[in-house]
Amino acid sequence: MRYLPLSEADRSEMLEVIGAGSIDELFRDVPPEARLDGPIAELPMHASELSVERQLAAMARKNMVAGEVPFFLGCGAYRHHVPASVDHIIQRGEFLTAYTPYQPEIAQGTLQVLFEFQTQVARLLGCEVANASMYDGSTACWEAIGMARRITRRTGAILSSGLHPHYVSVARTMARFTGDVLDTALPSFEGTDTERLIAGIGKDTSCVVVQYPDILGRIEDLTPIAEAAHAAGALLVAVVTEPVALGLIKAPGEMGADIVVGEGQSIGVGLQFGGPYVGLFACREKHVRQMPGRLAGETIDAEGKRGFVLTLSTREQHIRREKATSNICTNSGLCALAFSVHLTLLGEKGLGRLAGINHARAAEVAERLAAIPRVELVSETFFNEFTLKLPVEARPAVHAMVGKGVLGGVSLGRLYPGEASLAHGLVIAVTETVTDADIDALETALTECCA
């Protein structure tokens, strides 16, 4: 029997029930140009498992392995050292689940971890309450916009030019279905757009969304934006893509942000080819019932013993769909556990020391690279990520550095294709994993590319 044991009679019966004449008719809404008209060229029809493994391994060997070369990529995904103990703990049988615990009586370990995770995230982001994690940072950002709409009953959101373009793209996609009107702009090397954000706040504004530090690595006081938003009845949403920074700089919630979201990957979670990651979501306690996702809460059982339950679960799998706050608020349980374990091992002082190392190394690299002829440092205020303006287009320069064995940053031409004003921008991230030899290699490679 085949793995999918459907007979022709089974298929015919199913087609008859749904009213389709053939299997091909099921795909009639797919544009013809998007359909395959035959086998994929150069792909064998079948091969043994051993042959496939060997072929894929040979292809993988052509890749440049991030951990084996000088690595300066960032822009929302960061290479930090994750202690071996993190991986050991998350693989214990008590915790090894990547999804939501639906039966609290047999998931006390997972629920307790989520309860502690929420406390850590709330303290880190400077808020009163946090949920048990989200799908990732970009969808958490959209969820915050949706939450602001529910609270204010307004549909206008002003997005900072410093917000990651991938986050903006996700918001645009979702806004097509909700009617939210997004006010967006491109970043500029000349400075942030605080004045634009404040001037744009009006009676239809639900929220202002800012990234901290922003896509170019710049750090700015959020207090004036928060005050302007609150004066107009709007909310301030802050997005953090590098939570390690909060070991050194002021938390957004302490500057007046009503909702703080972010990507937790850089604490406890490896790069992993782009996922899975873990979204962070926190807010003021008065807004907790409009917060998407779920909350793990502490309680006392009939015998007076401490126990844990899901306190709020406002998603469509738990309540009627029309009452759900979200349907993309998947809890990334295993990555949240890794985040919590790593942060626990660091402790408050350890996180501060780690952040200090990151900033010191970044400042050293920025000073050395800015000394290269015709290379300009865009901003002097940054954490572990900064932007350079090169005398040449950054995207070809990045490719040239790869040829020299250096992953030398992310070009703004890649993030903003076709935008000539940003084509010379190069964003460089420096973490505790960078060595003196790595910095020497980057400086040499970039100097040659800019000559």
Side-chain angles (χ1 to χ4, degrees):
M1 181 182 289
R2 289 168 55 94
Y3 178 70
L4 299 176
L6 285 179
S7 67
E8 287 300 324
D10 293 330
R11 294 189 180 94
S12 297
E13 183 179 355
M14 292 166 69
L15 290 169
E16 183 178 352
V17 169
I18 63 177
S22 66
I23 291 177
D24 288 341
E25 196 175 322
L26 297 177
F27 302 97
R28 63 188 178 191
D29 292 329
V30 178
E33 62 271 16
R35 304 179 200 170
L36 285 174
D37 55 5
I40 300 175
E42 301 180 9
L43 185 69
M45 294 301 292
H46 60 84
S48 69
E49 184 175 338
L50 181 60
S51 296
V52 171
E53 286 178 353
R54 287 177 173 172
Q55 186 173 358
L56 292 179
M59 294 169 66
R61 280 193 290 272
K62 298 178 181 179
N63 291 332
M64 181 178 287
V65 180
E68 297 178 359
V69 297
F71 184 95
F72 297 90
L73 307 183
C75 288
Y78 303 91
R79 181 172 176 245
H80 289 284
H81 172 69
V82 179
S85 49
V86 173
D87 191 52
H88 174 77
I89 293 173
I90 68 173
Q91 292 189 59
R92 289 185 61 89
E94 300 96 321
F95 299 127
L96 190 52
T97 171
Y99 208 57
T100 308
Y102 288 101
Q103 295 175 279
E105 65 274 12
I106 61 172
Q108 286 296 293
T110 298
L111 285 167
Q112 181 172 358
V113 165
L114 292 178
F115 182 80
E116 302 296 346
F117 168 84
Q118 291 166 183
T119 303
Q120 291 174 320
V121 172
R123 289 187 62 186
L124 188 66
L125 302 183
C127 295
E128 296 166 325
V129 61
N131 71 13
S133 83
M134 304 290 285
Y135 182 68
D136 64 9
S138 62
T139 49
C141 176
W142 164 252
E143 294 288 0
I145 296 172
M147 178 174 166
R149 175 185 1 98
R150 293 192 298 274
I151 292 171
T152 65
R153 300 189 178 183
R154 302 173 180 178
T155 56
I158 307 173
L159 277 53
S160 167
S161 63
L163 181 62
H164 197 302
H166 295 171
Y167 287 42
V168 175
S169 179
V170 169
R172 282 177 176 155
T173 297
M174 297 303 297
R176 290 168 48 203
F177 306 100
T178 63
D180 287 82
V181 179
L182 307 182
D183 181 348
T184 65
L186 292 172
S188 167
F189 295 141
E190 306 307 316
T192 62
D193 62 346
T194 297
E195 292 183 3
R196 166 189 158 257
L197 297 177
I198 293 175
I201 299 172
K203 59 182 179 59
D204 296 323
T205 303
S206 65
C207 62
V208 178
V209 185
V210 296
Q211 184 170 317
Y212 173 83
D214 74 5
I215 188 62
L216 302 189
R218 299 169 297 196
I219 302 170
E220 194 166 51
D221 184 5
L222 305 182
T223 306
I225 306 174
E227 291 174 349
H230 296 158
L235 306 182
L236 174 62
V237 175
V239 177
V240 178
T241 63
E242 171 52 299
V244 172
L246 300 180
L248 203 61
I249 62 178
K250 198 170 185 178
E254 296 175 11
M255 291 183 281
D258 301 281
I259 305 172
V260 185
V261 300
E263 175 54 67
Q265 172 273 324
S266 70
I267 299 180
V269 183
L271 290 168
Q272 301 177 165
F273 303 97
Y277 288 168
V278 52
L280 311 178
F281 200 111
C283 68
R284 298 188 182 280
E285 188 170 3
K286 66 181 180 180
H287 300 315
V288 67
R289 290 194 173 276
Q290 291 298 332
M291 183 166 64
R294 79 274 305 138
L295 275 76
E298 181 183 5
T299 188
I300 301 296
D301 68 11
E303 298 177 357
K305 295 179 181 178
R306 185 187 190 206
F308 299 90
V309 295
L310 286 180
T311 306
L312 291 177
S313 303
T314 56
R315 57 181 290 182
E316 80 289 345
Q317 289 177 313
H318 297 279
I319 63 175
R320 290 195 302 276
R321 184 176 297 272
E322 66 274 11
K323 291 184 175 292
T325 55
S326 169
N327 60 9
I328 57 168
C329 54
T330 292
N331 156 232
S332 300
L334 195 61
C335 292
L337 172 60
F339 177 100
S340 196
V341 171
H342 192 184
L343 198 54
T344 300
L345 290 170
L346 285 169
E348 187 174 351
K349 292 183 179 179
L351 179 64
R353 286 197 296 270
L354 175 62
I357 293 170
N358 273 248
H359 177 64
R361 293 299 267 172
E364 176 190 351
V365 175
E367 184 177 358
R368 288 177 60 171
L369 299 184
I372 298 173
R374 300 186 297 151
V375 172
E376 178 186 345
L377 180 63
V378 169
S379 174
E380 304 244 346
T381 307
F382 56 85
F383 169 60
N384 68 352
E385 194 168 28
F386 56 86
T387 300
L388 298 175
K389 187 176 181 181
L390 307 184
V392 296
E393 282 196 30
R395 199 164 194 181
V398 167
H399 294 161
M401 284 190 283
V402 169
K404 301 175 188 299
V406 177
L407 293 171
V410 177
S411 67
L412 292 181
R414 175 185 173 188
L415 295 179
Y416 301 93
E419 296 297 336
S421 63
L422 299 171
H424 289 238
L426 177 65
V427 183
I428 292 177
V430 185
T431 72
E432 75 284 357
T433 64
V434 168
T435 66
D436 290 342
D438 294 339
I439 298 171
D440 292 340
L442 173 64
E443 183 180 20
T444 299
L446 187 60
T447 300
E448 293 174 359
C449 291
C450 295

